Amino acid sequence: MSIAAPVHTEKVPPFRNEPFADFSRREEREAFKRALADIHARFPIEAPLLIGGKRVETAEKIDSVSPSDTSLLCGRSASAGEAETDKAVAAARRAFDDWSHTPAEERAGLLLRAAALMRKRSHLFAALEVYEAAKPWREADADVAEAIDFLEFYAREALRLSGRKRLQPYILGEHNDLSYHPLGVAAVIGPWNFPLAIPVGMSSAALVTGNTVILKPAEQTPLVTWLYARILEEAGVPAGVFNFLPGRGEVCGARLVRHPDVQAIVFTGSKEVGLLIQREALAAQQDGLPFVKKVVTEMGGKNALIVDSSADIDAAVPDAIYSAYGFAGQKCSALSRLILLDDIYDVCLKRFQEAAESLRIGPAEDPGTQLPPVIDDEAAAKVNKYIGLGRESARTIYVGDVGSLAEKGHFVPPAIFEVDSSKHRLAQEEIFGPVVAVLRARDFDDALRIANSTPYALTGGVHSRTVSHLERARLDFQCGNLYLNRTITGAIVARQPFGGYRLSGIGAKAGGPDYLKQFMVARAVSENRMRHGSAPLEEHATETWEEF
Amino acid sequence: MPSVLTQTKENFESGRRSPVREERLEALTQRIGRALFRRLRSTAPSFWRLEKVEDSFMKLMMRDEDLRFRMLQFVDVFPALGGTRSVSRHLEEYLSSEEMGSGAGHGPLGRIARHFGRDLPGVRNITAATAQLAITRMGNHFIAGHTPEEVAVRIRSMEARGFHFTLDLLGEFVASEAQADEFARRYREMIEKFEDLLGPLPDALADQPHLQAPPRVNLSIKLSSLTSKFDPMDPEGTSAAVRERLRPLVRAAREHGAFINVDMEKYEFRETTLRIMLDLLDEEEFRGFPHFGTVAQAYLWDAEESLRWLLGELAARKQPMTIRLVKGAYWDSEQIWARQKDWPVPVITDKRLTDAMFERCTRILMEAAPLVRTAIASHNVRSVARALALRKMLSHPPEAFEVQMLYGMAGPIKDAVLRSGVPVRIYTPCGELLPGMSYLVRRILENTSNESFLRQRFSEGAAEEKLLASPHEPGPEDFEI
Ligand SMILES: Cc1cc2nc3c(=O)[nH]c(=O)nc-3n(C[C@H](O)[C@H](O)[C@H](O)COP(=O)(O)OP(=O)(O)OC[C@H]3O[C@@H](n4cnc5c(N)ncnc54)[C@H](O)[C@@H]3O)c2cc1C
């Protein structure tokens, strides 16, 4: 089994981020409108399972509707049951031997071809996200750009980590080296909020390091992820190396996690499901498995932005608004706590409130929309429940009105509540919606204390022009991604490797230098090359151990 | 015999400029330029004098890039700081932190000490109070007043000396509809009441024939201040939102006889800004409104293309307009934004080419008279001299031409141009220091930039020939043998 054209390592140009579309240009807007019309004309899109290189239909289907207009059926996906799940695992297992022995150059080549194909159709992919995930234009475009970045970045990372690395110190007559090897079959369980970038990132990392993959997309967004499966097919992924398995989490997701032939589980989603996966993986362990399941999870956040007394409020307010309400707060990095220093509290809160009041709520396909709907009924109910809680137990600063939009889609109002304790549920629990808890801090130390008072540690931000406060934040603000004087969402591959710790997840940062190693085991080999006093002259290591 | 106008136009269009005309134009430019410089010499420049504390502050910034960066950052935070203690703490941090430096070297305090010829402890005495004084004075230098009343006092004395004005209201970044309403309210108040604040027109202006046409009250507005949803991704929605607040302003301007100029902001906003203006002028009630103006920025690679497009749109509508030609105020920001996004850099990165583009656009604009009035907004003697020369050669109608400069900048040049018989309008900002900080920082960046005409002329004392050199071909090699 061999796929087309490996890449020549020396010919791969240095990594460069995929630029976002410039929608201030007329041609770009026109092109995007055409893509929206084009994808709309293809509805309903049918997404089958892809198992062992074959498309498989199932009797049960999962409808995918637009959150902006629930009467719009974007398409349907097949829904894998336990039998199909087992077949997919078996196919992945069968393909593993060949794939794991395929040179890294060929595996990297697959990713680079997929990136090129995706780049060619970036507007079409983004347009589908606009409908299926209710991502506003820029958000959808950014998601596609990030997916391309992951493919390009991990291809290069895999090349960097491939081969045998001679270990130092060099000892005469003794040859020591270290190399990385895949784990086996990886189950990748994706979220709906970045329906392309995150599944692409997780699965391409597993693939390029030699694992075979079963990708289960989120039930809400199977179609966007299916487009990625189509791209991999087109790029020539060998049968069984990549399997696409839409289905219900409780059925095929649960089966994948417990399956004895699945070595690695890579998940991005809620804390509840993430912890459940940990437990399930551990439970499956008792059946006498010959390995410990590797679990990589990226979970939620309760992210805070501190606005210091010396902040530029003109900049802090729009940054806070975008971080909190961009994509209706449905990013794990989204701002949900705004911590304002006492002396700017009133001014800043007033401006933040007025800016929130000015947000235009609407369907994602309208380029004037600033606040799109949330993903589904359940999400809307959760947001409304927390708004109810806020009304009862906190001071309501603002709750918007979605009017008749609520009848059309999963629209929820933007909301701001003032809470006087960092222990308040609104300041502790992840809502995943456009709801912000505002807290007052006496001074900067107090602000940091409040910021650090949740069990999460994902993103955080400080708006301040006091150098020593920024320095303190670097040292003491507990979060995986700290953003100073900017928005706290929108991490870019390689520039801002992304991921948190504590209850925000376990695992290395996506889009960073450590990510691929999670999908591999390291093997060290030591060979005695001395035979009766004859040893090779100390070759100068062709490959030295670089800084990893 | 073909008129001068069509002839030069043809030559320009066909790319074959008549060498004779080109030579004559250049010779005239040089003559006018030298005449302006002669008038300059007789006037003492106000800003570039070492005695004043803000001048030495500016000099300090020009010492090296690292210091300039630190000081600008400090100026930026200054109005947000509470008391003297906070000011001195920040000053200390900004001057000692290695973290924030641009890597140009350590020990900014040491360099400041050398600059002032003092030892280090002496420099620590450049206390918060001094910095406070310097920045406040710089603010006062570039911003005419905090309130319309204060500004009216300044403007009255400018008018008495023969200058016209255009008002710029400084304000917060508009992130909400409430803030946009507030801007609209302040603009409206200016249109309706500012003339009363000013009192009768002084003789110095009443004498100028040109003033019969354009109104006395002239307001420069930014369309992004009229909506919290200014988004070039959604030009239709943005246009609708902005026009909602713009209509009452234009109606008030019509009623009270005021002029409205739409300033140009960042490149991303240009197309939407122009479109909103044309959308408004396409509305029945505003068709042909003569007291409307906008800005063309010559520092953009596509400046000429954009200007020709706009002139075409105006010609098709027979819509009169005043167009202010500038180089552009966001040069540093545009580069950073573009690089961060990996988008093509929209601004020209060779100063000579910006100047050349300015001169090309000057000509294109002036050839569009009388439908289009030309406002040459520059402090650069060469750029202005070229326009004055063209004015002669094209027999440009006098009522369709003026020169504009910024408040607090190039005082002697303003006087020199005015005394050569050309109307001069001063762009006059009004507002508090806090919301005015981004304006102030842009002015400081501009004045301390290596490429600044004013810096070269008044601080570096560059030779007149060099300052007057034509930007159309490379100047003589800067190499002594
Ligand atoms: C009355 C008035 C109104 C204005 N209104 C606006 C407005 O609405 N919008 C706007 O954007 N600007 C506006 N400006 C222009 C701007 O603020 C600057 O004052 C102007 O660009 C300075 O040019 P200059 O000819 O006076 O000086 P010069 O020193 O000759 O030119 C400086 C200018 O050259 C450009 N430049 C600097 N370095 C380089 C380089 N390395 N390569 C290429 N180009 C370079 C920059 O535009 C810089 O501002 C206005 C200016 C005036 C006087």
Side-chain angles (χ1 to χ4, degrees):
Chain A
M1 173 177 66
S2 170
I3 59 168
V7 293
H8 297 286
T9 311
E10 66 279 8
K11 285 198 188 133
V12 179
F15 174 76
R16 197 178 146 198
N17 290 110
E18 183 67 12
F20 296 149
D22 178 359
F23 289 117
S24 74
R25 291 178 52 238
R26 177 188 302 274
E27 313 86 82
E28 201 78 89
R29 292 194 301 272
E30 302 292 318
F32 200 73
K33 281 183 194 157
R34 280 196 303 276
L36 284 169
D38 182 353
I39 202 78
H40 194 281
R42 297 176 196 230
F43 291 161
I45 294 169
E46 301 284 342
L49 314 179
L50 185 67
I51 297 175
K54 299 212 169 55
R55 300 185 182 189
V56 178
E57 293 296 342
T58 58
E60 200 203 334
K61 301 279 179 198
I62 299 177
D63 281 352
S64 176
V65 297
S66 172
S68 304
D69 175 2
T70 48
S71 68
L72 176 63
L73 181 71
C74 300
R76 284 178 218 97
S77 77
S79 177
E82 301 204 331
E84 287 87 3
T85 307
D86 290 349
K87 278 190 191 134
V89 176
R93 198 185 143 102
R94 268 197 309 279
F96 178 70
D97 196 36
D98 273 353
W99 184 245
S100 61
H101 287 96
T102 301
E105 287 74 16
E106 280 184 36
R107 298 194 302 241
L110 174 74
L111 267 59
L112 294 178
R113 280 195 304 284
L117 291 168
M118 203 178 275
R119 190 175 288 117
K120 235 168 59 189
R121 302 195 189 106
S122 61
H123 279 346
L124 195 71
F125 278 44
L128 180 55
E129 291 197 30
V130 168
Y131 285 112
E132 191 183 33
K135 283 220 159 197
W137 292 22
R138 282 197 188 90
E139 303 285 335
D141 175 68
D143 192 48
V144 179
E146 188 178 2
I148 296 171
D149 277 353
F150 277 133
L151 292 167
E152 295 274 352
F153 182 74
Y154 291 149
R156 288 166 176 77
E157 283 292 291
L159 294 174
R160 180 174 68 89
L161 294 173
S162 69
R164 294 174 191 156
K165 311 286 182 187
R166 179 97 195 256
L167 297 168
Q168 286 176 324
Y170 306 136
I171 308 290
L172 199 60
E174 182 178 293
H175 187 97
N176 299 310
D177 64 42
L178 186 134
S179 55
Y180 289 106
H181 305 269
L183 295 172
V185 173
V188 176
I189 302 176
W192 49 263
N193 64 339
F194 290 87
L196 194 62
I198 294 182
V200 166
M202 297 192 300
S203 63
S204 65
L207 284 173
V208 79
T209 45
N211 303 278
T212 53
V213 167
I214 298 140
L215 171 59
K216 188 199 106 51
E219 284 139 75
Q220 295 88 339
T221 55
L223 305 180
V224 171
T225 318
W226 165 241
L227 293 192
Y228 163 58
R230 289 277 304 103
I231 288 260
L232 283 181
E233 270 190 329
E234 202 178 328
V237 68
V241 168
F242 174 82
N243 305 276
F244 178 67
L245 204 70
R248 312 241 168 243
E250 321 83 74
V251 184
C252 81
R255 183 82 174 177
L256 281 173
V257 171
R258 287 177 152 264
H259 200 291
D261 286 333
V262 170
Q263 266 95 337
I265 302 149
V266 199
F267 167 82
T268 299
S270 71
K271 182 189 78 184
E272 289 67 33
V273 178
L275 293 178
L276 181 70
I277 287 175
Q278 299 269 4
R279 277 197 299 275
E280 291 288 304
L282 212 58
Q285 201 59 49
Q286 291 156 0
D287 306 334
L289 273 190
F291 54 82
V292 181
K293 279 178 189 273
K294 172 104 182 185
V295 180
V296 175
T297 61
E298 213 270 84
M299 304 184 290
K302 189 69 195 172
N303 313 301
L305 173 69
I306 298 174
V307 183
D308 195 7
S309 315
S310 63
D312 180 352
I313 298 191
D314 270 352
V317 168
D319 283 352
I321 287 284
Y322 179 72
S323 302
Y325 299 116
F327 194 37
Q330 304 173 100
K331 299 180 188 179
C332 43
S333 55
L335 183 162
S336 57
R337 293 181 299 149
L338 185 60
I339 303 171
L340 306 177
L341 271 282
D342 191 45
D343 43 1
I344 47 104
Y345 188 90
D346 295 330
V347 177
C348 194
L349 179 56
K350 173 166 175 284
R351 285 220 229 156
F352 181 72
Q353 175 195 341
E354 288 175 352
E357 286 171 3
S358 307
L359 288 171
R360 192 162 129 195
I361 309 172
E365 56 271 23
D366 178 346
T369 288
Q370 294 166 305
L371 189 77
V374 293
I375 191 73
D376 58 16
D377 266 340
E378 209 179 306
K382 184 174 178 191
V383 169
N384 286 322
K385 187 189 87 185
Y386 276 101
I387 288 178
L389 174 73
R391 286 192 198 275
E392 280 162 24
S393 62
R395 188 162 88 86
T396 304
I397 303 294
Y398 173 62
V399 176
D401 180 10
V402 296
S404 60
L405 280 172
E407 291 148 31
K408 211 162 162 33
H410 306 299
F411 290 91
V412 293
I416 306 169
F417 296 102
E418 180 184 69
V419 299
D420 44 23
S421 157
S422 59
K423 297 278 174 295
H424 195 284
R425 283 182 60 199
L426 286 177
Q428 287 289 324
E429 298 172 15
E430 188 177 44
I431 303 169
F432 227 60
V435 181
V436 173
V438 182
L439 296 119
R440 185 192 295 263
R442 282 188 311 278
D443 51 31
F444 196 73
D445 284 344
D446 193 35
L448 273 180
R449 185 192 57 74
I450 296 170
N452 290 336
S453 65
T454 77
Y456 295 101
L458 189 48
T459 70
V462 178
H463 255 282
S464 173
R465 288 177 289 188
T466 305
V467 184
S468 52
H469 288 177
L470 296 176
E471 190 55 36
R472 279 250 11 231
R474 282 171 180 274
L475 294 175
D476 294 332
F477 200 142
Q478 295 298 329
C479 58
N481 286 71
L482 177 64
Y483 294 105
L484 305 177
N485 290 323
R486 48 156 291 172
T487 56
I488 70 167
T489 60
I492 291 179
V493 170
R495 271 154 76 176
Q496 293 106 17
F498 185 78
Y501 51 99
R502 291 191 184 171
L503 285 186
S504 293
I506 49 167
K509 284 178 168 303
D514 306 317
Y515 195 72
L516 291 193
K517 290 188 198 160
Q518 308 176 103
F519 298 87
M520 300 188 282
V521 288
R523 294 211 299 250
V525 177
S526 181
E527 181 184 354
N528 174 11
R529 291 189 173 173
M530 191 192 81
R531 305 272 159 85
H532 299 290
S534 117
L537 275 186
E538 183 49 49
E539 336 92 339
H540 277 291
T542 42
E543 275 185 282
T544 45
W545 188 244
E546 310 154 33
E547 201 50 55
F548 275 71
Chain B
M1 197 186 81
S3 76
V4 176
L5 195 143
T6 53
Q7 203 180 338
T8 51
K9 183 165 184 181
E10 265 168 29
N11 290 338
F12 193 85
E13 300 277 37
S14 65
R16 288 179 295 108
R17 294 215 199 158
S18 146
V20 179
R21 291 218 171 273
E22 192 50 46
E23 248 168 55
R24 270 186 52 205
L25 181 59
E26 184 55 37
L28 187 56
T29 305
Q30 295 293 332
R31 248 199 344 268
I32 295 175
R34 282 195 302 272
L36 285 175
F37 269 127
R38 269 196 305 281
R39 289 211 186 87
L40 271 190
R41 261 179 251 129
S42 54
T43 341
S46 83
F47 194 77
W48 300 89
R49 269 182 298 155
L50 247 175
E51 306 89 77
K52 283 213 214 140
V53 66
E54 69 267 28
D55 294 343
S56 64
F57 205 80
M58 294 278 259
K59 286 253 151 56
L60 192 56
M61 286 194 222
M62 291 184 285
R63 222 189 110 86
D64 61 56
E65 278 301 315
D66 180 59
L67 263 185
R68 179 167 177 249
F69 168 75
R70 288 169 190 269
M71 298 301 254
L72 275 168
Q73 302 255 315
F74 177 69
V75 170
D76 174 74
V77 69
F78 170 77
L81 300 177
T84 307
R85 264 194 42 212
S86 176
V87 172
S88 56
R89 170 166 164 223
H90 281 82
L91 186 62
E92 172 86 28
E93 282 191 8
Y94 275 47
L95 291 179
S96 58
S97 159
E98 283 175 22
E99 189 67 44
M100 74 175 299
S102 54
H106 304 299
L109 275 173
R111 278 174 286 143
I112 294 178
R114 257 175 284 135
H115 178 76
F116 285 106
R118 290 203 207 150
D119 54 1
L120 213 56
V123 164
R124 289 194 196 274
N125 288 339
I126 312 178
T127 51
T130 322
Q132 215 153 346
L133 187 69
I135 296 173
T136 310
R137 286 224 198 128
M138 275 200 286
N140 292 339
H141 192 94
F142 291 112
I143 299 169
H146 297 173
T147 62
E149 290 73 17
E150 280 177 35
V151 170
V153 174
R154 294 276 142 66
I155 288 184
R156 234 178 279 140
S157 81
M158 277 157 34
E159 283 189 333
R161 286 157 57 214
F163 292 108
H164 307 290
F165 70 91
T166 178
L167 264 181
D168 164 41
L169 297 187
L170 302 170
E172 292 158 1
F173 173 82
V174 171
S176 70
E177 293 299 285
Q179 287 168 305
D181 281 335
E182 172 62 11
F183 253 113
R185 189 195 60 73
R186 288 171 64 205
Y187 285 146
R188 177 131 186 202
E189 195 173 279
M190 286 297 180
I191 293 170
E192 292 176 351
K193 308 218 179 93
F194 198 65
E195 186 141 29
D196 295 341
L197 281 182
L198 289 176
L201 193 66
D203 297 343
L205 284 189
D207 291 347
Q208 285 187 15
H210 137 184
L211 204 74
Q212 310 313 332
R216 179 183 185 192
V217 172
N218 183 312
L219 193 63
S220 285
I221 68 175
K222 293 191 173 51
L223 295 189
S224 68
S225 66
L226 291 180
T227 176
S228 62
K229 301 172 177 57
F230 201 101
D231 185 350
M233 187 167 86
D234 178 28
E236 291 87 6
T238 304
S239 176
V242 169
R243 276 180 293 146
E244 204 58 42
R245 291 197 178 85
L246 190 53
R247 275 184 212 108
L249 297 182
V250 180
R251 278 184 207 125
R254 205 169 44 196
E255 190 182 329
H256 292 84
F259 183 99
I260 294 185
N261 183 79
V262 171
D263 283 357
M264 205 49 82
E265 306 175 60
K266 56 179 160 181
Y267 178 67
E268 230 190 318
F269 287 4
R270 185 184 64 186
E271 190 192 315
T272 310
T273 302
L274 294 177
R275 171 170 183 161
I276 295 171
M277 266 176 30
L278 293 175
D279 283 352
L280 185 96
L281 291 168
D282 281 340
E283 293 181 15
E284 185 63 43
E285 112 173 75
F286 302 112
R287 225 163 260 168
F289 179 67
H291 302 317
F292 214 66
T294 190
V295 177
Q297 295 161 314
Y299 68 174
L300 299 171
W301 287 114
D302 65 355
E304 180 177 343
E305 191 188 327
S306 165
L307 179 60
R308 285 190 189 280
W309 174 83
L310 176 62
L311 293 177
E313 294 292 312
L314 296 176
R317 292 169 173 81
K318 297 198 171 53
Q319 170 67 47
M321 186 166 299
T322 302
I323 297 182
R324 172 199 296 160
L325 181 63
V326 305
K327 282 167 198 164
Y330 307 88
W331 189 81
D332 301 80
S333 308
E334 292 287 4
Q335 288 211 63
I336 297 170
W337 290 325
R339 298 232 158 106
Q340 286 188 347
K341 292 180 180 148
D342 201 3
W343 289 353
V345 175
V347 291
I348 300 172
T349 43
D350 177 341
K351 174 62 162 57
R352 186 176 64 76
L353 295 182
T354 295
D355 290 342
M357 181 67 92
F358 189 88
E359 295 192 1
R360 284 172 79 87
C361 291
T362 300
R363 184 172 195 148
I364 295 168
L365 257 183
M366 291 177 73
E367 283 168 351
L371 188 65
V372 172
R373 294 182 72 250
T374 298
I376 295 297
S378 170
H379 314 95
N380 185 321
V381 171
R382 158 76 203 190
S383 305
V384 172
R386 177 73 164 202
L388 298 184
L390 266 172
R391 192 164 168 251
K392 278 223 170 67
M393 284 194 43
L394 297 177
S395 312
H396 193 257
E399 68 281 1
F401 186 88
E402 64 184 45
V403 167
Q404 301 188 349
M405 297 192 202
L406 299 178
Y407 182 87
M409 279 173 67
I413 303 180
K414 283 174 189 148
D415 289 330
V417 174
L418 183 68
R419 272 185 288 124
S420 73
V422 175
V424 176
R425 188 178 301 281
I426 299 180
Y427 186 96
T428 312
C430 166
E432 299 288 338
L433 197 54
L434 183 56
M437 196 40 69
S438 60
Y439 179 85
L440 180 59
V441 169
R442 279 202 300 276
R443 293 293 78 74
I444 298 175
L445 263 176
E446 186 174 318
N447 276 282
T448 56
S449 145
N450 279 326
E451 298 287 359
S452 155
F453 175 89
L454 295 178
R455 172 172 173 178
Q456 290 176 0
R457 169 67 180 81
F458 292 119
S459 176
E460 254 109 77
E464 277 175 21
E465 304 83 78
K466 194 174 157 223
L467 293 171
L468 282 180
S470 164
H472 298 287
E473 60 264 20
E477 286 290 333
D478 191 12
F479 178 56
E480 281 181 42
I481 303 179

